[in-house]
Amino acid sequence: MMRVTFIHADGKARTEAEAEPGSILLDVAQAHMMPLEGTCEGQMACSTCHVIVGREDFDRLPPASEMEEDMLDLAAGVRRTSRLSCQVVLTDDLDGLTVHIPAESRNMQGPR
């Protein structure tokens, strides 16, 4: 098992999660009640699973594809260390990853 820390949108609360290597970050986030939609179900057709990876951890991730970079251009509150959580496959090398939930997002499903 590996550990992922989610920093909530308020910047204060945090959720510690355990995950199996090979898990998709979005799935782990949703299993721990993080407010990430993932409207397109990992098909890179939206940016509703946008997260901000901790600066200290960003370089441990493989580079984003050009398609992911294009989708990140549509995300609200994007930063240099932004990624789509549907594209992050957790590996043993990412144990201890810290991920910030953005304070703003674009809800693709409309009001609930």
Side-chain angles (χ1 to χ4, degrees), residues 38-51:
T39 303
C40 73
E41 298 179 356
Q43 301 302 308
M44 269 198 299
C46 73
S47 60
T48 61
C49 68
H50 164 234
V51 295

Side-chain angles (χ1 to χ4, degrees), residues 32-84:
H32 288 84
M33 308 308 289
M34 295 297 104
L36 298 177
E37 280 185 56
T39 303
C40 73
E41 298 179 356
Q43 301 302 308
M44 269 198 299
C46 73
S47 60
T48 61
C49 68
H50 164 234
V51 295
I52 302 164
V53 177
R55 277 188 213 124
E56 65 282 358
D57 293 328
F58 186 74
D59 290 335
R60 294 196 288 155
L61 294 173
S65 68
E66 187 174 326
M67 192 170 170
E68 181 180 355
E69 292 284 350
D70 289 346
M71 290 313 306
L72 283 167
D73 287 343
L74 304 175
V78 74
R79 304 262 180 0
R80 188 185 73 75
T81 61
S82 289
R83 292 297 299 266
L84 297 180

